[in-house]
Amino acid sequence: MTHIRASISAFAHHRRGLAAAVLVSLALTGCGSEVKGSGPQGGPVSSVASKARPTQPSPEQEAFAAMLEMYAQMCPPSDGVPPAPPGKSTGPEPVRSLAPGETPPTDPIEPGPLTGPAAELDRHDWCTSVHHEQRIIEALQKVVEPTPAKVRKTLNSLGYIDERIHGLKQDGKTTRFYLDLRENGGRLCEAGLAAGETTDVTACVAHATGPFTVKTEEQP
């Protein structure tokens, strides 16, 4: 009987040693899988192929970007300088009629400070706005009964994409709208009134970042 107890004791000792070896092996296997970069248990494993590809611009978006670039090259670079800085006149001084016996002033007449979009847009944006305004006015003057649908179609034909056209609203026999022309940190936008031969488009100022919102526009 003593011999049997010794055999059982030795067998039990052998099983405990085998179990310990198995645990060590499993631990090492787990470490190896972690080093290889596998994800958490039950979680997805990241893969470069699984990442979504960036959306490619449409042909219309590419044409619109090319138009903005064309006008940008035709104008001075953005430098933050207004088109006509306060205190400097870009044209001849106005001639003021004098009352009988009145002596003309000897000091130069200083122009008042700029207000509205002219005070906030730099020379680049102001120059660019002129190019856009001329072509838009010319096209919309030919539109009879300018409804929002007709105005959008005309702007599309000029290369302005839908995501840059805002606030289309019919006002009697006319249609009002805004164009978002921001680029490279600029704030240029256009406020338009489609009214046949009396169509008018003027520069406005949008917030530089975020969704399109008008900050400043000319008051009628």
Side-chain angles (χ1 to χ4, degrees):
M1 295 298 293
T2 303
H3 178 72
I4 294 174
R5 285 197 298 270
S7 299
I8 294 175
S9 175
F11 179 71
H13 178 73
H14 174 71
R15 288 188 62 184
R16 286 196 295 270
L18 179 61
V22 171
L23 290 175
V24 171
S25 176
L26 290 174
L28 291 176
T29 303
C31 293
S33 63
E34 185 68 26
V35 171
K36 291 180 181 180
S38 62
Q41 184 176 0
V45 179
S46 61
S47 172
V48 175
S50 65
K51 295 181 180 179
R53 295 181 179 178
T55 304
Q56 295 296 327
S58 66
E60 292 79 10
Q61 291 172 326
E62 291 180 344
F64 176 74
M67 177 178 63
L68 293 184
E69 179 63 22
M70 177 184 67
Y71 290 142
Q73 294 178 359
M74 297 170 62
C75 293
S78 297
D79 53 11
V81 179
K88 294 184 180 180
S89 176
T90 57
E93 294 183 1
V95 178
R96 184 170 66 89
S97 60
L98 300 176
E102 184 180 1
T103 304
T106 57
D107 296 331
I109 301 175
E110 296 292 339
L114 297 174
T115 60
E120 299 184 48
L121 298 174
D122 64 12
R123 291 182 295 182
H124 174 80
D125 280 344
W126 198 260
C127 169
T128 304
S129 72
V130 174
H131 293 290
H132 290 287
E133 291 165 16
Q134 290 177 345
R135 65 196 302 263
I136 295 171
I137 291 174
E138 182 179 350
L140 289 178
Q141 283 179 335
K142 302 175 183 178
V143 178
V144 180
E145 297 180 357
T147 62
K150 290 181 179 180
V151 171
R152 181 184 295 277
K153 183 177 180 180
T154 301
L155 294 175
N156 289 158
S157 69
L158 295 175
Y160 300 99
I161 52 182
D162 285 339
E163 52 261 44
R164 295 298 190 107
I165 303 172
H166 300 275
L168 274 169
K169 182 180 180 181
Q170 189 158 3
D171 185 5
K173 295 182 178 181
T174 66
T175 294
R176 298 182 180 275
F177 64 92
Y178 290 98
L179 279 177
D180 178 7
L181 300 178
R182 293 175 296 175
E183 58 168 338
N184 301 325
R187 299 186 295 163
L188 176 64
C189 63
E190 297 289 343
L193 176 64
E197 294 182 356
T198 59
T199 293
D200 191 22
V201 180
T202 58
C204 58
V205 183
H207 290 279
T209 58
F212 175 76
T213 52
V214 178
K215 178 179 179 292
T216 308
E217 62 180 306
E218 291 186 5
Q219 298 300 320

PDB file of all heavy atoms in Angstrom, residues 128-157:
ATOM      1  N   THR A 128     -11.565  90.292 -57.940  1.00  0.00           N
ATOM      2  CA  THR A 128     -12.239  89.078 -58.386  1.00  0.00           C
ATOM      3  C   THR A 128     -13.738  89.289 -58.511  1.00  0.00           C
ATOM      4  O   THR A 128     -14.385  88.791 -59.448  1.00  0.00           O
ATOM      5  CB  THR A 128     -11.958  87.923 -57.404  1.00  0.00           C
ATOM      6  OG1 THR A 128     -10.546  87.744 -57.283  1.00  0.00           O
ATOM      7  CG2 THR A 128     -12.585  86.634 -57.897  1.00  0.00           C
ATOM      8  N   SER A 129     -14.310  90.045 -57.573  1.00  0.00           N
ATOM      9  CA  SER A 129     -15.755  90.271 -57.596  1.00  0.00           C
ATOM     10  C   SER A 129     -16.188  90.978 -58.871  1.00  0.00           C
ATOM     11  O   SER A 129     -17.271  90.707 -59.400  1.00  0.00           O
ATOM     12  CB  SER A 129     -16.184  91.079 -56.372  1.00  0.00           C
ATOM     13  OG  SER A 129     -15.767  92.429 -56.473  1.00  0.00           O
ATOM     14  N   VAL A 130     -15.360  91.871 -59.385  1.00  0.00           N
ATOM     15  CA  VAL A 130     -15.712  92.611 -60.604  1.00  0.00           C
ATOM     16  C   VAL A 130     -15.889  91.651 -61.774  1.00  0.00           C
ATOM     17  O   VAL A 130     -16.833  91.771 -62.558  1.00  0.00           O
ATOM     18  CB  VAL A 130     -14.645  93.668 -60.922  1.00  0.00           C
ATOM     19  CG1 VAL A 130     -14.929  94.337 -62.268  1.00  0.00           C
ATOM     20  CG2 VAL A 130     -14.593  94.715 -59.816  1.00  0.00           C
ATOM     21  N   HIS A 131     -14.990  90.667 -61.902  1.00  0.00           N
ATOM     22  CA  HIS A 131     -15.080  89.698 -62.997  1.00  0.00           C
ATOM     23  C   HIS A 131     -16.373  88.892 -62.903  1.00  0.00           C
ATOM     24  O   HIS A 131     -17.049  88.667 -63.912  1.00  0.00           O
ATOM     25  CB  HIS A 131     -13.880  88.756 -62.972  1.00  0.00           C
ATOM     26  CG  HIS A 131     -12.583  89.435 -63.290  1.00  0.00           C
ATOM     27  ND1 HIS A 131     -12.273  89.895 -64.554  1.00  0.00           N
ATOM     28  CD2 HIS A 131     -11.514  89.740 -62.505  1.00  0.00           C
ATOM     29  CE1 HIS A 131     -11.066  90.446 -64.548  1.00  0.00           C
ATOM     30  NE2 HIS A 131     -10.589  90.362 -63.313  1.00  0.00           N
ATOM     31  N   HIS A 132     -16.715  88.440 -61.696  1.00  0.00           N
ATOM     32  CA  HIS A 132     -17.932  87.657 -61.522  1.00  0.00           C
ATOM     33  C   HIS A 132     -19.168  88.508 -61.795  1.00  0.00           C
ATOM     34  O   HIS A 132     -20.095  88.064 -62.484  1.00  0.00           O
ATOM     35  CB  HIS A 132     -17.992  87.091 -60.104  1.00  0.00           C
ATOM     36  CG  HIS A 132     -16.988  86.020 -59.835  1.00  0.00           C
ATOM     37  ND1 HIS A 132     -17.096  84.746 -60.350  1.00  0.00           N
ATOM     38  CD2 HIS A 132     -15.843  86.025 -59.097  1.00  0.00           C
ATOM     39  CE1 HIS A 132     -16.077  84.003 -59.949  1.00  0.00           C
ATOM     40  NE2 HIS A 132     -15.303  84.763 -59.175  1.00  0.00           N
ATOM     41  N   GLU A 133     -19.188  89.714 -61.266  1.00  0.00           N
ATOM     42  CA  GLU A 133     -20.372  90.566 -61.406  1.00  0.00           C
ATOM     43  C   GLU A 133     -20.685  90.875 -62.865  1.00  0.00           C
ATOM     44  O   GLU A 133     -21.847  90.818 -63.293  1.00  0.00           O
ATOM     45  CB  GLU A 133     -20.165  91.864 -60.623  1.00  0.00           C
ATOM     46  CG  GLU A 133     -20.153  91.659 -59.113  1.00  0.00           C
ATOM     47  CD  GLU A 133     -19.588  92.850 -58.374  1.00  0.00           C
ATOM     48  OE1 GLU A 133     -19.491  93.945 -58.982  1.00  0.00           O
ATOM     49  OE2 GLU A 133     -19.208  92.709 -57.192  1.00  0.00           O
ATOM     50  N   GLN A 134     -19.686  91.185 -63.645  1.00  0.00           N
ATOM     51  CA  GLN A 134     -19.910  91.558 -65.039  1.00  0.00           C
ATOM     52  C   GLN A 134     -20.569  90.433 -65.826  1.00  0.00           C
ATOM     53  O   GLN A 134     -21.551  90.652 -66.552  1.00  0.00           O
ATOM     54  CB  GLN A 134     -18.583  91.961 -65.683  1.00  0.00           C
ATOM     55  CG  GLN A 134     -18.039  93.282 -65.167  1.00  0.00           C
ATOM     56  CD  GLN A 134     -16.675  93.616 -65.771  1.00  0.00           C
ATOM     57  OE1 GLN A 134     -15.995  92.754 -66.352  1.00  0.00           O
ATOM     58  NE2 GLN A 134     -16.260  94.875 -65.635  1.00  0.00           N
ATOM     59  N   ARG A 135     -20.061  89.211 -65.684  1.00  0.00           N
ATOM     60  CA  ARG A 135     -20.599  88.103 -66.476  1.00  0.00           C
ATOM     61  C   ARG A 135     -21.973  87.669 -65.967  1.00  0.00           C
ATOM     62  O   ARG A 135     -22.830  87.269 -66.750  1.00  0.00           O
ATOM     63  CB  ARG A 135     -19.603  86.935 -66.497  1.00  0.00           C
ATOM     64  CG  ARG A 135     -19.361  86.296 -65.143  1.00  0.00           C
ATOM     65  CD  ARG A 135     -18.095  85.437 -65.155  1.00  0.00           C
ATOM     66  NE  ARG A 135     -18.151  84.409 -66.158  1.00  0.00           N
ATOM     67  CZ  ARG A 135     -18.523  83.137 -65.922  1.00  0.00           C
ATOM     68  NH1 ARG A 135     -18.907  82.795 -64.702  1.00  0.00           N
ATOM     69  NH2 ARG A 135     -18.523  82.249 -66.872  1.00  0.00           N
ATOM     70  N   ILE A 136     -22.188  87.744 -64.658  1.00  0.00           N
ATOM     71  CA  ILE A 136     -23.482  87.347 -64.109  1.00  0.00           C
ATOM     72  C   ILE A 136     -24.571  88.340 -64.523  1.00  0.00           C
ATOM     73  O   ILE A 136     -25.667  87.955 -64.944  1.00  0.00           O
ATOM     74  CB  ILE A 136     -23.405  87.227 -62.574  1.00  0.00           C
ATOM     75  CG1 ILE A 136     -22.453  86.091 -62.180  1.00  0.00           C
ATOM     76  CG2 ILE A 136     -24.792  86.964 -61.990  1.00  0.00           C
ATOM     77  CD1 ILE A 136     -22.139  86.044 -60.694  1.00  0.00           C
ATOM     78  N   ILE A 137     -24.271  89.628 -64.404  1.00  0.00           N
ATOM     79  CA  ILE A 137     -25.249  90.657 -64.776  1.00  0.00           C
ATOM     80  C   ILE A 137     -25.609  90.540 -66.251  1.00  0.00           C
ATOM     81  O   ILE A 137     -26.790  90.583 -66.634  1.00  0.00           O
ATOM     82  CB  ILE A 137     -24.708  92.065 -64.461  1.00  0.00           C
ATOM     83  CG1 ILE A 137     -24.635  92.265 -62.943  1.00  0.00           C
ATOM     84  CG2 ILE A 137     -25.581  93.142 -65.096  1.00  0.00           C
ATOM     85  CD1 ILE A 137     -23.987  93.579 -62.531  1.00  0.00           C
ATOM     86  N   GLU A 138     -24.603  90.371 -67.086  1.00  0.00           N
ATOM     87  CA  GLU A 138     -24.845  90.266 -68.526  1.00  0.00           C
ATOM     88  C   GLU A 138     -25.750  89.085 -68.858  1.00  0.00           C
ATOM     89  O   GLU A 138     -26.638  89.189 -69.715  1.00  0.00           O
ATOM     90  CB  GLU A 138     -23.517  90.134 -69.267  1.00  0.00           C
ATOM     91  CG  GLU A 138     -23.657  90.067 -70.773  1.00  0.00           C
ATOM     92  CD  GLU A 138     -22.312  89.952 -71.482  1.00  0.00           C
ATOM     93  OE1 GLU A 138     -21.268  90.110 -70.805  1.00  0.00           O
ATOM     94  OE2 GLU A 138     -22.309  89.704 -72.694  1.00  0.00           O
ATOM     95  N   ALA A 139     -25.548  87.946 -68.169  1.00  0.00           N
ATOM     96  CA  ALA A 139     -26.357  86.755 -68.454  1.00  0.00           C
ATOM     97  C   ALA A 139     -27.774  86.895 -67.920  1.00  0.00           C
ATOM     98  O   ALA A 139     -28.747  86.532 -68.597  1.00  0.00           O
ATOM     99  CB  ALA A 139     -25.686  85.522 -67.859  1.00  0.00           C
ATOM    100  N   LEU A 140     -27.926  87.436 -66.715  1.00  0.00           N
ATOM    101  CA  LEU A 140     -29.254  87.523 -66.105  1.00  0.00           C
ATOM    102  C   LEU A 140     -30.108  88.629 -66.711  1.00  0.00           C
ATOM    103  O   LEU A 140     -31.342  88.580 -66.604  1.00  0.00           O
ATOM    104  CB  LEU A 140     -29.122  87.730 -64.596  1.00  0.00           C
ATOM    105  CG  LEU A 140     -28.617  86.525 -63.788  1.00  0.00           C
ATOM    106  CD1 LEU A 140     -28.491  86.882 -62.314  1.00  0.00           C
ATOM    107  CD2 LEU A 140     -29.549  85.324 -63.965  1.00  0.00           C
ATOM    108  N   GLN A 141     -29.491  89.614 -67.342  1.00  0.00           N
ATOM    109  CA  GLN A 141     -30.280  90.647 -68.006  1.00  0.00           C
ATOM    110  C   GLN A 141     -31.099  90.085 -69.158  1.00  0.00           C
ATOM    111  O   GLN A 141     -32.110  90.672 -69.551  1.00  0.00           O
ATOM    112  CB  GLN A 141     -29.357  91.760 -68.513  1.00  0.00           C
ATOM    113  CG  GLN A 141     -28.876  92.711 -67.422  1.00  0.00           C
ATOM    114  CD  GLN A 141     -27.936  93.780 -67.965  1.00  0.00           C
ATOM    115  OE1 GLN A 141     -27.286  93.584 -69.003  1.00  0.00           O
ATOM    116  NE2 GLN A 141     -27.858  94.910 -67.280  1.00  0.00           N
ATOM    117  N   LYS A 142     -30.693  88.942 -69.673  1.00  0.00           N
ATOM    118  CA  LYS A 142     -31.384  88.325 -70.794  1.00  0.00           C
ATOM    119  C   LYS A 142     -32.507  87.387 -70.358  1.00  0.00           C
ATOM    120  O   LYS A 142     -33.237  86.861 -71.207  1.00  0.00           O
ATOM    121  CB  LYS A 142     -30.385  87.545 -71.655  1.00  0.00           C
ATOM    122  CG  LYS A 142     -29.242  88.402 -72.190  1.00  0.00           C
ATOM    123  CD  LYS A 142     -28.232  87.538 -72.920  1.00  0.00           C
ATOM    124  CE  LYS A 142     -27.043  88.362 -73.393  1.00  0.00           C
ATOM    125  NZ  LYS A 142     -26.011  87.520 -74.073  1.00  0.00           N
ATOM    126  N   VAL A 143     -32.635  87.168 -69.050  1.00  0.00           N
ATOM    127  CA  VAL A 143     -33.638  86.227 -68.551  1.00  0.00           C
ATOM    128  C   VAL A 143     -34.964  86.955 -68.364  1.00  0.00           C
ATOM    129  O   VAL A 143     -35.066  87.898 -67.577  1.00  0.00           O
ATOM    130  CB  VAL A 143     -33.189  85.588 -67.218  1.00  0.00           C
ATOM    131  CG1 VAL A 143     -34.263  84.644 -66.695  1.00  0.00           C
ATOM    132  CG2 VAL A 143     -31.873  84.844 -67.413  1.00  0.00           C
ATOM    133  N   VAL A 144     -35.982  86.498 -69.077  1.00  0.00           N
ATOM    134  CA  VAL A 144     -37.320  87.080 -68.956  1.00  0.00           C
ATOM    135  C   VAL A 144     -38.047  86.397 -67.798  1.00  0.00           C
ATOM    136  O   VAL A 144     -38.002  85.173 -67.660  1.00  0.00           O
ATOM    137  CB  VAL A 144     -38.111  86.898 -70.272  1.00  0.00           C
ATOM    138  CG1 VAL A 144     -39.499  87.491 -70.148  1.00  0.00           C
ATOM    139  CG2 VAL A 144     -37.347  87.527 -71.432  1.00  0.00           C
ATOM    140  N   GLU A 145     -38.699  87.185 -66.953  1.00  0.00           N
ATOM    141  CA  GLU A 145     -39.390  86.666 -65.773  1.00  0.00           C
ATOM    142  C   GLU A 145     -38.449  85.740 -64.984  1.00  0.00           C
ATOM    143  O   GLU A 145     -38.625  84.514 -64.953  1.00  0.00           O
ATOM    144  CB  GLU A 145     -40.666  85.920 -66.170  1.00  0.00           C
ATOM    145  CG  GLU A 145     -41.696  86.796 -66.854  1.00  0.00           C
ATOM    146  CD  GLU A 145     -42.948  86.024 -67.229  1.00  0.00           C
ATOM    147  OE1 GLU A 145     -42.970  84.789 -66.987  1.00  0.00           O
ATOM    148  OE2 GLU A 145     -43.892  86.631 -67.765  1.00  0.00           O
ATOM    149  N   PRO A 146     -37.453  86.310 -64.331  1.00  0.00           N
ATOM    150  CA  PRO A 146     -36.426  85.508 -63.647  1.00  0.00           C
ATOM    151  C   PRO A 146     -36.936  84.827 -62.376  1.00  0.00           C
ATOM    152  O   PRO A 146     -36.876  85.391 -61.284  1.00  0.00           O
ATOM    153  CB  PRO A 146     -35.348  86.542 -63.325  1.00  0.00           C
ATOM    154  CG  PRO A 146     -36.077  87.838 -63.234  1.00  0.00           C
ATOM    155  CD  PRO A 146     -37.194  87.755 -64.214  1.00  0.00           C
ATOM    156  N   THR A 147     -37.426  83.627 -62.520  1.00  0.00           N
ATOM    157  CA  THR A 147     -37.837  82.816 -61.371  1.00  0.00           C
ATOM    158  C   THR A 147     -36.599  82.167 -60.750  1.00  0.00           C
ATOM    159  O   THR A 147     -35.525  82.099 -61.392  1.00  0.00           O
ATOM    160  CB  THR A 147     -38.810  81.728 -61.811  1.00  0.00           C
ATOM    161  OG1 THR A 147     -38.144  80.855 -62.744  1.00  0.00           O
ATOM    162  CG2 THR A 147     -40.041  82.327 -62.469  1.00  0.00           C
ATOM    163  N   PRO A 148     -36.687  81.667 -59.512  1.00  0.00           N
ATOM    164  CA  PRO A 148     -35.535  80.969 -58.915  1.00  0.00           C
ATOM    165  C   PRO A 148     -34.997  79.831 -59.779  1.00  0.00           C
ATOM    166  O   PRO A 148     -33.784  79.648 -59.876  1.00  0.00           O
ATOM    167  CB  PRO A 148     -36.102  80.461 -57.585  1.00  0.00           C
ATOM    168  CG  PRO A 148     -37.131  81.474 -57.220  1.00  0.00           C
ATOM    169  CD  PRO A 148     -37.769  81.861 -58.531  1.00  0.00           C
ATOM    170  N   ALA A 149     -35.886  79.072 -60.423  1.00  0.00           N
ATOM    171  CA  ALA A 149     -35.435  77.963 -61.270  1.00  0.00           C
ATOM    172  C   ALA A 149     -34.643  78.484 -62.469  1.00  0.00           C
ATOM    173  O   ALA A 149     -33.604  77.916 -62.834  1.00  0.00           O
ATOM    174  CB  ALA A 149     -36.634  77.147 -61.739  1.00  0.00           C
ATOM    175  N   LYS A 150     -35.117  79.572 -63.087  1.00  0.00           N
ATOM    176  CA  LYS A 150     -34.406  80.140 -64.236  1.00  0.00           C
ATOM    177  C   LYS A 150     -33.066  80.743 -63.818  1.00  0.00           C
ATOM    178  O   LYS A 150     -32.067  80.617 -64.540  1.00  0.00           O
ATOM    179  CB  LYS A 150     -35.264  81.209 -64.908  1.00  0.00           C
ATOM    180  CG  LYS A 150     -36.491  80.678 -65.644  1.00  0.00           C
ATOM    181  CD  LYS A 150     -37.259  81.810 -66.305  1.00  0.00           C
ATOM    182  CE  LYS A 150     -38.468  81.306 -67.067  1.00  0.00           C
ATOM    183  NZ  LYS A 150     -39.228  82.420 -67.717  1.00  0.00           N
ATOM    184  N   VAL A 151     -33.048  81.371 -62.664  1.00  0.00           N
ATOM    185  CA  VAL A 151     -31.801  81.973 -62.185  1.00  0.00           C
ATOM    186  C   VAL A 151     -30.769  80.888 -61.883  1.00  0.00           C
ATOM    187  O   VAL A 151     -29.595  81.003 -62.252  1.00  0.00           O
ATOM    188  CB  VAL A 151     -32.068  82.836 -60.937  1.00  0.00           C
ATOM    189  CG1 VAL A 151     -30.757  83.282 -60.305  1.00  0.00           C
ATOM    190  CG2 VAL A 151     -32.907  84.054 -61.310  1.00  0.00           C
ATOM    191  N   ARG A 152     -31.198  79.815 -61.225  1.00  0.00           N
ATOM    192  CA  ARG A 152     -30.277  78.718 -60.933  1.00  0.00           C
ATOM    193  C   ARG A 152     -29.726  78.116 -62.226  1.00  0.00           C
ATOM    194  O   ARG A 152     -28.519  77.847 -62.331  1.00  0.00           O
ATOM    195  CB  ARG A 152     -30.979  77.632 -60.112  1.00  0.00           C
ATOM    196  CG  ARG A 152     -30.061  76.463 -59.748  1.00  0.00           C
ATOM    197  CD  ARG A 152     -30.812  75.369 -59.018  1.00  0.00           C
ATOM    198  NE  ARG A 152     -31.299  75.809 -57.729  1.00  0.00           N
ATOM    199  CZ  ARG A 152     -30.560  75.817 -56.619  1.00  0.00           C
ATOM    200  NH1 ARG A 152     -29.290  75.426 -56.658  1.00  0.00           N
ATOM    201  NH2 ARG A 152     -31.096  76.205 -55.483  1.00  0.00           N
ATOM    202  N   LYS A 153     -30.596  77.902 -63.195  1.00  0.00           N
ATOM    203  CA  LYS A 153     -30.161  77.325 -64.466  1.00  0.00           C
ATOM    204  C   LYS A 153     -29.148  78.240 -65.161  1.00  0.00           C
ATOM    205  O   LYS A 153     -28.152  77.765 -65.721  1.00  0.00           O
ATOM    206  CB  LYS A 153     -31.370  77.093 -65.372  1.00  0.00           C
ATOM    207  CG  LYS A 153     -31.034  76.434 -66.694  1.00  0.00           C
ATOM    208  CD  LYS A 153     -32.296  76.164 -67.523  1.00  0.00           C
ATOM    209  CE  LYS A 153     -31.951  75.501 -68.842  1.00  0.00           C
ATOM    210  NZ  LYS A 153     -33.181  75.241 -69.659  1.00  0.00           N
ATOM    211  N   THR A 154     -29.387  79.555 -65.112  1.00  0.00           N
ATOM    212  CA  THR A 154     -28.451  80.499 -65.736  1.00  0.00           C
ATOM    213  C   THR A 154     -27.115  80.494 -65.016  1.00  0.00           C
ATOM    214  O   THR A 154     -26.052  80.492 -65.661  1.00  0.00           O
ATOM    215  CB  THR A 154     -29.048  81.919 -65.720  1.00  0.00           C
ATOM    216  OG1 THR A 154     -30.296  81.920 -66.416  1.00  0.00           O
ATOM    217  CG2 THR A 154     -28.109  82.907 -66.379  1.00  0.00           C
ATOM    218  N   LEU A 155     -27.131  80.476 -63.679  1.00  0.00           N
ATOM    219  CA  LEU A 155     -25.880  80.448 -62.910  1.00  0.00           C
ATOM    220  C   LEU A 155     -25.126  79.149 -63.169  1.00  0.00           C
ATOM    221  O   LEU A 155     -23.888  79.151 -63.278  1.00  0.00           O
ATOM    222  CB  LEU A 155     -26.181  80.614 -61.426  1.00  0.00           C
ATOM    223  CG  LEU A 155     -26.752  81.973 -60.999  1.00  0.00           C
ATOM    224  CD1 LEU A 155     -27.132  81.961 -59.523  1.00  0.00           C
ATOM    225  CD2 LEU A 155     -25.755  83.096 -61.280  1.00  0.00           C
ATOM    226  N   ASN A 156     -25.853  78.035 -63.262  1.00  0.00           N
ATOM    227  CA  ASN A 156     -25.206  76.756 -63.589  1.00  0.00           C
ATOM    228  C   ASN A 156     -24.522  76.817 -64.949  1.00  0.00           C
ATOM    229  O   ASN A 156     -23.416  76.277 -65.127  1.00  0.00           O
ATOM    230  CB  ASN A 156     -26.221  75.616 -63.583  1.00  0.00           C
ATOM    231  CG  ASN A 156     -26.713  75.239 -62.201  1.00  0.00           C
ATOM    232  OD1 ASN A 156     -27.777  74.650 -62.055  1.00  0.00           O
ATOM    233  ND2 ASN A 156     -25.966  75.575 -61.155  1.00  0.00           N
ATOM    234  N   SER A 157     -25.178  77.463 -65.913  1.00  0.00           N
ATOM    235  CA  SER A 157     -24.598  77.548 -67.256  1.00  0.00           C
ATOM    236  C   SER A 157     -23.316  78.384 -67.263  1.00  0.00           C
ATOM    237  O   SER A 157     -22.478  78.221 -68.156  1.00  0.00           O
ATOM    238  CB  SER A 157     -25.615  78.154 -68.233  1.00  0.00           C
ATOM    239  OG  SER A 157     -25.836  79.527 -67.954  1.00  0.00           O
TER     240      SER A 157
END
